[in-house]
Each structure stands twice: as C-alpha cells, then as structure tokens.
Amino acid sequence: MLKKVGILINGGDAPGLNAVIRAITRTAEKAGVECYGFVDGFNGLLKNNYIRLDKSKEASGILHKGGAIIGSSLNSNVFNYKVIENGKEVYKDLSQVCVDNLKNDEIDCLFTLGGDSTQKSARDFSLRGINVIGVPKTIDNDVACTDVTFGYNTAVSVATDALDRLHTTAETHNRIMVLEVMGRYAGWIALESAIAGGADVALIPEIPYDIEKVVQKVKQRQSIGKNFSVVVVSEGAFPKGGSISVKDTRQGGSGVINIQLGGAGEQVAKILEAKTGLISRNTTLGYMQRGGTPTATDRVLSTKYGSKAMELALNGTFNVLTVLKNGKLDYVSLEDVVGNNKVIGAVEGGTAESNMKTVRLDDDLVKTARNIGICLGD
Ligand code: F6P
C-alpha cells in the first residue's frame, strides 16, 4: 500500500512542469496517497528539504503557470556531486544521503521529472533499492523511448511565433533573418518550427551543413524576386568538417550538460552576409523557449503523464519511464532509456554511448521539409 510519494525536478525548466505536479497530486489524493515535493530537485533531496503538496493548496491554480512551484536542480548529479573540501572542489558520491532521507521520510515512490541525465540518475537510484518513476521532461524532445516530451510543443510554438515576426521584418528590409533555437544535439525544435513557420532553411545537428547549399537556396529565391530569406539554425548545428559552437563549459566540458552551446546562428548569419551580399541578422531565441505558459497540448500531455505516473505507482510498477508510444500512454524500463550509458554515477548527461533521441534522416519531418523545399544544408 502506497502512503507517501515524492516529486523531484532536475534540469532546465519546461512548460508543463506544474501541470505534471498537479496531475500527480490529484491522482494521488484520490487514492488516499500523500504527495511531497523536494525543493530545488536533487539539492532538496540531499538536504531533505521538501514541502507537502495538497491539491487544494500548493498544487492548486498552477496548471497554466510556467516554471515549477518546487524549483529544479541544475547540473546536479548526486552520484558525482561537487563539494568544496579544504578550499578545493572535489566530486563525491552523496547518493546514500538521498537514499537514507527517502527511507527515513518513508517515501514509497519518487517521481523524477527530467530528461536524459535525470532518468540516468533515477535508474541509478533504482539500483540502490528506491522505487522511481520517470516523467520525460525537456523542450529538446530528445529523451529515448517516447514519442514526445512535455515542454517541447510550447518551445516549438514560441519559435514559430518568432519566425512569423522575423518573416515580416525580413521581407520589409530585404534581409536574411536567422533564428537560433535550442535543442542541444537534437534538431527537433529547429525542424518542426521551420515547417510551422515557413522557413526557407533549417540547419540541424543531425545534418552537418554545407553553407554553399544555403547560399544557393538564398540566391535561387532572389532569382524569383524573393530578396529575403528566413533561416532556422539549431544551437547544435555545425558545418561539414567543422565543429559545434560552444559558448562556455563546466567541469571541463565532460558530458553534454556541461557544454553550453551558443553562436551557431551568428556564425551562419555572418557567412551568409559575406557570400550573398544581403544584410543578415541573427536572433538567438534562448530561454524564451523554456519559460512561460504551456500550450494546451503541453497542458494535456503533462496531465496525462502525471496521472499515468501515479497510476503506475498505485499498480506497483516501478523503475520505469512514463512514455507515449505511437500516441498511446505507456511505460518503458529505465534500463531501456539509459541504453548503453550504464555506468552508475557517470558524468551527468549523455555520453558518447547515450541513448538520446535525435532526428533520424528517414523521419517524416525530414521528408516533409525536403518535399516542400526547405533547404537542410545538404
Ligand atoms: O535542455 C534544455 C536546454 O534549454 C537546451 O535546449 C539548452 O541547450 C540548455 O538547456 C541550456 O542549459 P542551461 O540552462 O544550463 O543554460
């Protein structure tokens, strides 16, 4: 019999987090289960800092709100946690502190709302005897084994709105407008927003680009009287034979989450201006994609994920990730999500062996983009 469950968020925020919290709390209360939220993710779990989530108090009136009422931890891997000892930074495995806290608090199941690296930590906790259930959160849509993550639809909508706005200014001034969007090493946001926003070019990490192909596209448009172009560049896009644009690194850049991407759009805009003679401007959309109100689609998806996660807990199905498989709610084992990235407490984030879901070249989105004449830089 479940009595108490806990919710923890790790990683960058994504629209829909509060909707998941609300759905878990409501489904739990209906079954007589108490719900708690760890404050600031893994940091709260380490300090045993949690709040009670009550459907008519803390978890009320939050469905439409961005961010997360219980906060999130950023870049926290408790299996390899940065602490300062004698004035020096050292990395320690503090997971046992978390395990003890969960056991002392009598938390029967921990819901981990997060992406690739969070679900890796969740799997590691499951190996330490903790009941965990993951919920796939990230605007990047790059979590393995699920059709879609919550937060993604809102990010695509924000990027599409930005493209609509850039389109009119591009046309008015005969310019090339470049929009750099997030997504890390997956081109989902770029590709889908390019289709939705009628962009002429979409550059994604999965297809290293040849800038000459982009120049050709811009020139071909000029030849039919279109003296402007709209280009979407994924932050992880890079030229053939070149490398990704890195803005900053943490922990020596080990693991994907320790590399802050940035600059890919600026680089494309500069080269296009030099090669086409058209004035080119880059806009980096940044954190606008993560903050604020979730779309209706994300509110519904988050609610479905949250209620399914609690349903799984009530049925005693643990150590799984709640997923959408061919449009239907389902679950997969965390082992499958982790893929080959199996080492316990390995550097957070996907490694070379990560099971991260990137755009496959035979994806319908790629085919559609090509069919309607969006240049993918190849
Ligand atoms: O994973 C979500 C995401 O917003 C990525 O799209 C982006 O590359 C990254 O997080 C930014 O991370 P940070 O919040 O550490 O700047």
Side-chain angles (χ1 to χ4, degrees):
M1 264 293 280
L2 283 188
K3 283 201 186 121
K4 285 177 164 186
V5 292
I7 303 176
L8 172 154
I9 302 168
N10 182 53
D13 59 350
L17 279 166
N18 288 323
V20 176
I21 293 173
R22 177 177 175 269
I24 292 177
T25 308
R26 285 182 164 236
T27 313
E29 275 187 31
K30 219 170 159 204
V33 176
E34 287 175 16
C35 209
Y36 294 84
F38 286 93
V39 178
D40 297 338
F42 283 119
N43 301 322
L45 185 54
L46 267 178
K47 296 183 198 144
N48 210 20
N49 181 14
Y50 56 81
I51 58 164
R52 176 76 207 272
L53 292 168
D54 188 302
K55 104 170 178 211
S56 47
K57 291 185 193 142
E58 300 80 7
S60 169
I62 60 170
L63 176 63
H64 61 292
K65 288 190 181 156
I69 58 162
I70 55 174
S72 174
S73 41
L74 274 176
N75 319 313
S76 287
N77 178 3
V78 290
F79 292 82
N80 194 14
Y81 197 79
K82 183 168 85 182
V83 285
I84 308 290
E85 266 183 5
N86 304 324
K88 271 196 186 153
E89 276 184 9
V90 285
Y91 288 85
K92 289 199 148 180
D93 180 357
L94 300 183
S95 59
Q96 195 54 43
V97 178
C98 301
V99 169
D100 292 344
N101 287 342
L102 287 165
K103 294 213 162 137
N104 292 335
D105 297 338
E106 298 179 324
I107 298 286
D108 301 312
C109 174
L110 181 68
F111 296 104
T112 50
L113 281 47
D116 196 42
S117 60
T118 308
Q119 305 314 338
K120 168 80 174 53
S121 289
R123 193 290 307 242
D124 293 354
F125 273 115
S126 77
L127 296 176
R128 299 267 158 95
I130 298 297
N131 291 331
V132 287
I133 296 178
V135 183
K137 168 229 66 169
T138 169
I139 63 163
D140 303 338
N141 196 33
D142 61 355
V143 176
C145 309
T146 187
D147 294 353
V148 67
T149 56
F150 74 86
Y152 170 64
N153 181 266
T154 307
V156 171
S157 301
V158 172
T160 303
D161 180 54
L163 285 171
D164 288 346
R165 290 168 194 280
L166 291 174
H167 226 117
T168 55
T169 177
E171 191 166 6
T172 304
H173 296 292
N174 294 320
R175 285 174 164 176
I176 296 173
M177 283 293 175
V178 175
L179 180 70
E180 182 184 305
V181 297
M182 284 184 164
R184 279 219 168 98
Y185 301 106
W188 298 108
I189 298 176
L191 194 53
E192 205 159 326
S193 65
I195 294 172
D200 307 298
V201 179
L203 304 180
I204 60 174
E206 294 84 349
I207 305 178
Y209 65 83
D210 175 352
I211 200 70
E212 294 305 334
K213 300 282 171 164
V214 184
V215 172
Q216 262 171 34
K217 174 74 186 178
V218 171
K219 291 198 167 157
Q220 176 241 324
R221 282 175 54 75
Q222 283 183 298
S223 73
I224 55 163
K226 304 261 187 197
N227 267 322
F228 69 97
S229 285
V230 175
V231 178
V232 185
V233 177
S234 180
E235 61 180 357
F238 58 96
K240 253 189 200 162
S243 49
I244 51 166
S245 299
V246 176
K247 197 169 172 204
D248 205 358
T249 57
R250 300 172 281 244
Q251 293 185 29
S254 50
V256 293
I257 63 148
N258 291 317
I259 295 175
Q260 188 188 1
L261 298 173
E266 198 62 58
Q267 185 179 336
V268 168
K270 250 189 204 151
I271 304 177
L272 285 182
E273 180 162 311
K275 286 188 178 270
T276 65
L278 284 178
I279 293 176
S280 304
R281 297 277 194 258
N282 171 63
T283 300
T284 300
L285 198 51
Y287 298 88
M288 300 284 290
Q289 293 157 98
R290 270 173 34 178
T293 305
T295 57
T297 299
D298 266 334
R299 292 182 203 192
V300 175
L301 180 64
S302 303
T303 303
K304 280 162 82 174
Y305 275 154
S307 73
K308 176 73 179 180
M310 190 61 220
E311 213 177 271
L312 290 168
L314 290 167
N315 291 335
T317 309
F318 300 115
N319 310 332
V320 293
L321 179 75
T322 316
V323 296
L324 212 62
K325 239 188 234 168
N326 302 321
K328 298 276 302 164
L329 276 177
D330 208 334
Y331 63 90
V332 291
S333 93
L334 285 171
E335 281 299 337
D336 288 347
V337 179
V338 168
N340 295 324
N341 192 7
K342 294 233 185 271
V343 187
I344 297 186
V347 170
E348 204 172 43
T351 62
E353 306 87 39
S354 169
N355 216 12
M356 193 181 286
K357 185 185 79 179
T358 52
V359 178
R360 286 172 50 128
L361 299 192
D362 62 354
D363 192 283
D364 284 345
L365 285 174
V366 174
K367 290 191 209 154
T368 304
R370 292 196 197 283
N371 284 345
I372 62 166
I374 296 178
C375 165
L376 298 179
D378 60 347

